[in-house]
Amino acid sequence: MSDRLRITWYGVTIFLSSAFLLVLEILAGRLIAPYVGVSLYTWTAIIGVILAGLSLGNWLGGIWADRGGNELAAGITLALAGLFSLGILFLLTLVAPLIEAREMTLLGASFFYVLALFFMPAVLLGVVTPLLTTLALELDRRTGHIVGRMHALAALGSILGTFVTGYVLIQYLGTRGIVIGTAIGLFLLALPFFKGRSRAAPIAVLVAAVGLILVTDARNGFSNPCDRESNYFCIRVVDDSERAPFGVARSLVLDHLVHGTNHDSEPGMLISPYVQLMDELALEHFGEEKAETLRWFFAGGGAYTLPRSVRTRTPNATVTVAELDPLVTRTAEEGLFLDTAGMRVVHADARTVLTREPSERYDVIVSDAFHDISIPYHLVTREYAELVRSRLAPDGIYLLNVLDAFPDPRLVKSMMKTLSESFEHVHVWMDMVPPEAERMTFVISASDAREPPETLVARRGFDHRWLRTTEPMMRTGTAFDALPLLTDDYVPVERLVSEFYFEDLGR
């Protein structure tokens, strides 16, 4: 093989190994999502651990190259990277029960999942670039030319791995398929480096790979906890009939959070109290007669529990749903008894939909969009509140549910402070006052029309009574003046719900 061809071979290997590393990095977010969700903290752990492993691997690869590392060393490294990549699924079956049993915080659990599963593959793949770059420099003394080329190829490979995984692989192969494909790809990359050398190494790798496959299969490691995987969520439908008074009920789980429960034969049944509360607030605000013809806009579809109920009970009402993920809608139709006939479903971000339709006006706008356990940042800001207000009828009402920590829900209070810049009447509602600190769902109402009552008693469905807790909440815990006004420029959602990540409230 000529020197030029050998250098090209080294460059292709660097390009592909870097692509495989970024495949694993993007994969990490989806693989651990059913256990810890997806948030700023989980992605920080993923990026930090992968970079730490890559840095250590670069350092070790440079040392190895100076001490006589050759093509066989590169082959062994790639083969080991393939084994550790294949071992991710086996390690997950060991690590997940241990972390769950210790009841770690979401922050700690995220870090240890990534450390246990992805650190070693990152270290090994980090070895490849400096090792092969040094070997290339022995064939071509143009130091700047070779080093620049190899770094550029590593960066381009990383870019390819990122886009292909995010846009294609997760949707078509799923997490388990990607892990297996990555391992096979690394084994194939390693093979040419063993040519003409000892056969013991590839045979040992093959035996180890077969052993890993067998023990992983024995521990059910190849089974996917997700029914479906989209670019946004690990999607599951679970039976939740025990929550219904009769019949069959199913819930939608996105990553590790329930996003709605639907009854098979009673589409008007609202099992979750906070969903029923939003429905009752709209009914109380407009009255029975006008409720028949309301114009509804839903930011987030999820299980489509409330849109489904509205369409069934008030067929003359208009319902528009902005659901970002088409696969969520399809799952609700196929597994959650949803019929979208009569609804207008737009598969786009809610803020984008409201922005591009300036002439539309709605009586009720409901925000039920979540990214893991927090609301997407751009749907809680002052700018979004102004957009919502501009799309509401003069007597319209804005309703949203928020997960936060009782008794001092700082995100809820910051959102109330922010909404008060745009709406005259902003209130928070609870169906119960817990005896101790816990994570719970709050409902916020905002309107310019009139002040709601201090208590709300259900007019239909399950017997519930809700309290308007605005005033007590303002007097408890963190003072309003100490909380931020949420804007597009500054919206620290994770900091405001940090109890979920640093304490057991989020588990």
Side-chain angles (χ1 to χ4, degrees):
M1 184 185 295
S2 67
D3 289 349
R4 175 175 290 185
L5 189 58
R6 192 172 294 272
I7 291 171
T8 301
W9 170 31
Y10 294 162
V12 170
T13 302
I14 288 172
F15 174 82
L16 292 176
S17 64
S18 298
F20 283 129
L21 178 59
L22 265 293
V23 168
L24 292 177
E25 182 170 348
I26 301 301
L27 169 73
R30 172 58 57 237
L31 194 67
I32 67 174
Y35 306 95
V36 293
V38 179
S39 68
L40 178 63
Y41 291 114
T42 57
W43 276 111
T44 299
I46 290 167
I47 295 169
V49 168
I50 295 290
L51 287 176
L54 181 63
S55 300
L56 178 59
N58 287 164
W59 180 57
L60 294 175
I63 293 174
W64 199 357
D66 287 341
R67 295 182 179 177
N70 54 20
E71 290 182 358
L72 179 60
I76 292 172
T77 301
L78 288 165
L80 286 174
L83 284 175
F84 273 93
S85 297
L86 186 60
I88 287 171
L89 299 179
F90 171 67
L91 287 173
L92 182 60
T93 67
L94 299 178
V95 171
L98 290 175
I99 292 178
E100 294 299 315
R102 292 179 63 88
E103 297 184 351
M104 298 177 67
T105 64
L106 285 173
L107 184 68
S110 300
F111 177 78
F112 283 107
Y113 270 117
V114 181
L115 184 67
L117 303 180
F118 295 96
F119 182 71
M120 279 307 302
V123 171
L124 290 164
L125 289 171
V127 168
V128 175
T129 297
L131 183 58
L132 292 183
T133 300
T134 303
L135 293 178
L137 286 170
E138 295 176 359
L139 305 174
D140 190 329
R141 294 297 181 181
R142 295 177 297 167
T143 305
H145 181 86
I146 293 297
V147 171
R149 180 198 297 182
M150 297 308 183
H151 278 289
L153 287 170
L156 288 171
S158 299
I159 293 169
L160 176 68
T162 300
F163 282 112
V164 168
T165 307
Y167 289 162
V168 179
L169 296 182
I170 287 176
Q171 289 195 85
Y172 290 97
L173 295 182
T175 51
R176 273 64 184 169
I178 294 172
V179 168
I180 295 169
T182 299
I184 291 173
L186 289 169
F187 291 146
L188 292 175
L189 270 184
L191 276 178
F193 290 97
F194 292 124
K195 186 177 181 180
R197 296 176 173 84
S198 171
R199 296 181 180 179
I203 292 174
V205 170
L206 178 61
V207 171
V210 171
L212 261 178
I213 290 171
L214 292 175
V215 296
T216 303
D217 185 61
R219 295 187 61 86
N220 208 28
F222 292 115
S223 65
N224 195 333
C226 313
D227 295 335
R228 289 170 166 168
E229 291 181 275
S230 72
N231 279 354
Y232 304 100
F233 301 109
C234 165
I235 304 171
R236 289 180 291 150
V237 174
V238 299
D239 183 80
D240 230 349
S241 300
E242 62 183 24
R243 296 182 60 199
F246 59 88
V248 177
R250 294 177 187 164
S251 291
L252 177 72
V253 181
L254 301 181
D255 292 335
H256 71 150
L257 188 70
V258 174
H259 280 250
T261 304
N262 294 351
H263 193 277
D264 65 337
S265 61
E266 297 293 333
M269 183 184 293
L270 302 176
I271 295 174
S272 298
Y274 78 88
V275 179
Q276 186 179 352
L277 169 57
M278 291 192 289
D279 182 60
E280 293 285 350
L281 281 168
L283 179 62
E284 191 281 331
H285 188 79
F286 291 103
E288 292 275 1
E289 184 175 349
K290 188 170 181 179
E292 294 293 322
T293 57
L294 293 177
R295 296 160 295 173
W296 294 74
F297 178 89
F298 292 88
Y304 285 74
T305 303
L306 188 52
R308 177 174 177 252
S309 176
V310 169
R311 280 298 303 156
T312 301
R313 287 186 289 98
T314 55
N316 292 325
T318 61
V319 174
T320 299
V321 183
E323 168 54 55
L324 188 61
D325 192 344
L327 198 53
V328 167
T329 301
R330 194 185 317 159
T331 301
E333 289 175 322
E334 295 174 0
L336 292 160
F337 324 112
L338 173 67
D339 181 0
T340 56
M343 297 184 195
R344 175 177 171 242
V345 178
V346 184
H347 290 119
D349 178 78
R351 184 163 174 173
T352 301
V353 174
L354 289 175
T355 299
R356 70 189 184 197
E357 298 180 351
S359 61
E360 292 289 342
R361 292 296 180 271
Y362 301 96
D363 300 303
V364 188
I365 294 180
V366 178
S367 179
D368 191 15
F370 280 86
H371 186 69
D372 192 39
I373 55 178
S374 62
I375 300 177
Y377 317 118
H378 63 298
L379 301 185
V380 300
T381 65
R382 176 177 58 193
E383 290 82 355
Y384 180 67
E386 280 296 322
L387 176 63
V388 168
R389 184 176 181 273
S390 70
R391 299 299 183 266
L392 277 174
D395 62 344
I397 186 171
Y398 178 36
L399 304 169
L400 58 161
N401 65 296
V402 188
L403 281 173
D404 209 339
F406 177 86
D408 186 22
R410 294 181 297 165
L411 175 59
V412 167
K413 293 198 284 188
S414 283
M415 291 176 66
M416 291 171 63
K417 181 177 182 178
T418 302
L419 288 167
S420 295
E421 296 270 309
S422 303
F423 294 94
E424 185 176 351
H425 307 292
V426 178
H427 293 286
V428 61
W429 302 81
M430 299 167 60
D431 66 327
M432 58 170 289
V433 178
E436 57 185 20
E438 67 172 70
R439 186 181 81 183
M440 64 180 301
T441 301
F442 299 83
V443 171
I444 301 175
S445 64
S447 174
D448 288 329
R450 63 184 181 83
E451 193 81 352
E454 293 186 359
T455 61
L456 188 65
V457 178
R459 301 189 192 184
R460 54 195 177 195
F462 297 106
D463 292 332
H464 283 296
R465 180 174 177 271
W466 297 276
L467 304 175
R468 194 183 80 186
T469 57
T470 311
E471 291 75 15
M473 194 166 292
M474 292 175 65
R475 298 192 298 266
T476 305
T478 308
F480 261 49
D481 291 343
L483 290 166
L485 185 73
L486 306 177
T487 67
D488 283 351
D489 181 59
Y490 182 63
V491 52
V493 170
E494 269 85 4
R495 176 170 67 82
L496 294 170
V497 293
S498 59
E499 291 95 335
F500 295 171
Y501 301 99
F502 292 96
E503 300 176 15
D504 289 339
L505 292 174
R507 301 298 284 160

